[in-house]
Amino acid sequence: MQTIDLTEVGLRETNQTLHAQADNTNQTEWEIVNPRGSHAIACGLNAPIEVTVKGSTGYYCAGMNQQATVNIQGSAGPGTGENIMSGKIVIEGDASQYLGATGHGGLIVVKGNASSRCGISMKGVNIVVQGNIGHMSAFMGQSGNLVVCGDAGDALGDSCYEAQFFVQGSVKSLGADCERKEMRDEHLTLLQGLLDEAGIDADPNNFTRYGSARTLYNFDVDNAGAY
Amino acid sequence: MCGIVGLFLKDKSLEPKLGEMLTSMLITMTDRGPDSAGIAIYSGESKGRTKMTVQSDDPENAFDGLDKALGKAIGGTVKMSVKSTHAILDIPEGTTSAARAALEEMNCGLRVMSCGDSLEIFKEVGLPKDVAARFDISSMSGSHGIGHTRMATESAVTTMGAHPFNTGDDQCLVHNGSLSNHNSLRRRLRREGIHIETENDTEVGAAYLTWQMQNGATLGEALESSLNDLDGFFTFVVGTKDGFGVVRDPIACKPAVMAETDQYVAFGSEYRALVDLPGIEDARVWEPEPATVYFWSHNDAPTSTEKAA
């Protein structure tokens, strides 16, 4: 286990040290102490390493992540895991707005609640939230899965494409062109797999699936007045 | 961007450290806005007296003999304490309007930063650390206070464009965001007879709240109606004599984090601002919900009006 004190080492050197780890590095376990809500901690990692951040983080922690597993032992600020490509991010506390925005792959797990715009423009990332999510989540979601064990806020999945959403609790309102969908066997299997991977004990049968009604895919002249 | 901090103390033993804690929180937020900074402190009231904080670009001349001249004009004792470009005028209760009129008559270029029994506002152009040092904010005690560091977008970088804005006696407002309908709203409010000095959007927001309250709304109601009438982005923190409140617009893209312990309620634009507060590790930390008005008050048994405020 390598321990980095962020207040002593500084952000840039900390991230450069983590970036310097090769695919076959022997130093696979890292711990960052004294994060003090700093921005961009463990951003741009690209090695199969495990990084544990001992405390709460600010903007953009673990952004652009590839391969690495980042565990945040606190709450995470806005834009955490933005554009994640692969790997895994686990947030023990709450996540602020636009968690996992534009994420292409990998998994993000939130043990607490996620705020507004969770998974906005998601492009393949899987996000599992044990608590609730805020308004405008998965806006323009293109691909990937958003699992919510609690409730979803206003305008879930507004203008979404092929991302799908599984919500166990209530949905305050659905966004434009987002609708309730049938839960078939393949969805139950997919959801069980995501819950298992996230380490969350919940019954897939209690969830409702939502997705695109696919009426906004192409421009329809009848909608011209809406623009 | 802009950065906001706020601290409401439940534990009286922390009161001597209010200025120090707020200053440290505000300095942490410097990179959210380096243009100007300000702090509103509720430092307590004395019976039969009220306060005005005034500012001058030429403090040496403007404050020279000001207490005596003002005392003569309003027919009462005026005690003055000067802090850099600001002076706190301790005047008899009920003489605020007379003092305001007298200052205008004297025509000595003074600007009124705040009025109220407990409230003092200090704000200037510059970095939070310089502004705080200039007014020695760290040495100030009080029951609660709010601070702001500005990244200017809608109007010039000036003292009058700095936050907090005084919205009424013992009330003040800081803002992170930008209002897009401030020009039309300014015209409307001016027609209603509300005095608005600058081209600043937040001043219009503050004037809007003042106008609503002049028409009988409580602060709580005024904030509720701001959600309908103000167009744009805002996280507002408002100070009142007894406490402070928070409201975010329905889109809520301007960040806000709150923390509560047995000793205090704290607000920060980011968690970074809160990390040095005592017991933060075990505090309840959360994001205020959009379009929801929050209030904390020192007044244990508020009247219905105070409660709604």
Side-chain angles (χ1 to χ4, degrees):
Chain A
M1 170 82 77
Q2 317 288 313
T3 299
I4 299 175
D5 186 333
L6 192 65
T7 51
E8 279 175 20
V9 176
L11 178 69
R12 194 161 288 197
E13 199 173 317
T14 298
N15 282 346
Q16 280 172 352
T17 303
L18 297 173
H19 293 166
Q21 304 307 309
D23 274 355
N24 56 355
T25 177
N26 287 325
Q27 297 174 328
T28 55
E29 284 190 33
W30 296 80
E31 184 181 73
I32 297 174
V33 298
N34 286 322
R36 295 168 62 83
S38 303
H39 300 178
I41 298 172
C43 256
L45 304 189
N46 188 7
I49 56 175
E50 284 191 26
V51 179
T52 301
V53 185
K54 308 285 273 185
S56 294
T57 57
Y59 282 80
Y60 307 124
C61 182
M64 302 174 284
N65 188 62
Q66 297 183 72
Q67 303 189 66
T69 297
V70 179
N71 187 306
I72 300 166
Q73 294 188 339
S75 289
T80 297
E82 190 167 80
N83 214 63
I84 178 174
M85 302 300 287
S86 65
K88 185 174 176 180
I89 300 167
V90 180
I91 298 155
E92 301 289 343
D94 297 332
S96 187
Q97 56 182 331
Y98 48 96
L99 173 76
T102 75
H104 285 251
L107 174 69
I108 303 178
V109 180
V110 184
K111 299 287 177 70
N113 302 312
S115 183
S116 59
R117 293 171 276 274
C118 175
I120 186 169
S121 197
M122 55 196 287
K123 297 172 178 159
V125 64
N126 291 321
I127 302 175
V128 182
V129 181
Q130 195 155 10
N132 307 322
I133 60 170
H135 63 277
M136 291 302 279
S137 287
F139 174 64
M140 292 188 85
Q142 288 142 62
S143 164
N145 303 286
L146 172 60
V147 179
V148 186
C149 300
D151 302 330
D154 272 318
L156 174 69
D158 194 292
S159 309
C160 63
Y161 294 81
E162 291 304 296
Q164 36 182 12
F165 324 118
F166 300 94
V167 184
Q168 183 167 239
S170 66
V171 174
K172 198 167 177 194
S173 67
L174 290 173
D177 208 36
C178 183
E179 63 176 15
R180 189 181 174 142
K181 302 259 189 189
E182 181 194 2
M183 189 78 129
R184 296 191 298 270
D185 285 347
E186 70 258 36
H187 303 120
L188 292 170
T189 310
L190 170 75
L191 180 53
Q192 185 67 63
L194 290 169
L195 290 165
D196 288 347
E197 208 182 336
I200 290 172
D201 184 19
D203 181 355
N205 289 296
N206 296 336
F207 285 74
T208 305
R209 183 170 72 104
Y210 301 89
S212 176
R214 304 188 176 106
T215 61
L216 296 178
Y217 269 37
N218 300 299
F219 179 73
D220 182 340
V221 73
D222 289 342
N223 292 336
Y227 295 97
Chain B
M1 280 204 292
C2 299
I4 302 177
V5 298
L7 193 55
F8 169 86
L9 299 177
K10 300 180 189 174
D11 180 350
K12 280 197 171 303
S13 71
L14 286 176
E15 289 188 1
K17 295 179 87 174
L18 179 78
E20 190 186 329
M21 291 159 90
L22 266 179
T23 300
S24 153
M25 291 165 78
L26 192 60
I27 288 173
T28 309
M29 290 291 93
T30 299
D31 51 14
R32 294 192 63 88
D35 294 333
S36 63
I39 281 197
I41 288 221
Y42 291 84
S43 59
E45 49 189 316
S46 40
K47 209 171 160 37
R49 308 290 295 178
T50 190
K51 288 187 273 196
M52 280 176 105
T53 313
V54 294
Q55 184 267 0
S56 170
D57 291 336
D58 179 19
E60 261 179 48
N61 291 317
F63 297 154
D64 185 29
L66 176 66
D67 44 354
K68 287 196 182 67
L70 184 62
K72 199 173 164 195
I74 61 172
T77 329
V78 174
K79 287 180 249 171
M80 176 170 69
S81 71
V82 174
K83 283 189 172 186
S84 182
T85 54
H86 288 40
I88 301 140
L89 302 167
D90 179 314
I91 59 178
E93 193 175 21
T95 59
T96 305
S97 305
R100 219 186 245 277
L103 289 176
E104 253 172 58
E105 188 118 323
M106 289 178 200
N107 198 20
C108 47
L110 287 175
R111 301 161 176 142
V112 178
M113 299 281 107
S114 70
C115 299
D117 296 340
S118 176
L119 171 66
E120 295 171 14
I121 290 180
F122 303 91
K123 59 185 188 183
E124 276 297 353
V125 172
L127 295 174
K129 72 173 168 60
D130 299 329
V131 173
R134 180 173 206 165
F135 299 115
D136 195 18
I137 304 288
S138 291
S139 71
M140 292 187 72
S141 65
S143 53
H144 55 294
I146 55 184
H148 184 275
T149 181
R150 179 172 186 230
M151 182 172 281
T153 54
E154 296 289 312
S155 71
V157 176
T158 60
T159 305
M160 292 310 281
H163 305 218
F165 288 91
N166 193 196
T167 50
D169 282 2
D170 279 312
Q171 286 174 345
C172 65
L173 170 79
V174 297
H175 173 207
N176 178 16
S178 55
L179 302 178
S180 37
N181 64 338
H182 66 96
N183 281 326
S184 58
L185 196 54
R186 184 183 295 104
R187 285 194 293 272
R188 194 175 127 200
L189 290 168
R190 277 182 177 156
R191 274 203 305 276
E192 299 283 345
I194 303 286
H195 174 76
I196 299 176
E197 195 147 332
T198 71
E199 295 305 301
N200 183 279
D201 58 331
T202 308
E203 191 192 3
V204 174
Y208 171 83
L209 296 178
T210 305
W211 173 65
Q212 283 281 342
M213 289 184 288
Q214 278 179 9
N215 286 296
T218 62
L219 181 57
E221 287 164 351
L223 287 171
E224 289 282 353
S225 58
S226 74
L227 289 165
N228 295 322
D229 291 339
L230 300 182
D231 186 13
F233 299 117
F234 53 89
T235 290
F236 287 141
V237 177
V238 294
T240 69
K241 196 176 191 175
D242 296 319
F244 79 168
V246 174
V247 64
R248 305 173 78 192
D249 71 81
I251 305 289
C253 63
K254 295 300 174 188
V257 183
M258 303 213 58
E260 182 165 16
T261 71
D262 291 343
Q263 290 185 294
Y264 57 81
V265 180
F267 177 98
S269 290
E270 296 179 36
Y271 179 75
R272 278 191 301 156
L274 312 178
V275 290
D276 286 326
L277 292 173
I280 189 70
E281 305 78 20
D282 302 314
R284 183 171 82 94
V285 177
W286 80 101
E287 276 191 13
E289 293 285 325
T292 305
V293 177
Y294 294 80
F295 265 103
W296 286 267
S297 176
H298 284 296
N299 194 341
D300 290 335
T303 63
S304 59
T305 316
E306 286 165 338
K307 204 172 177 182

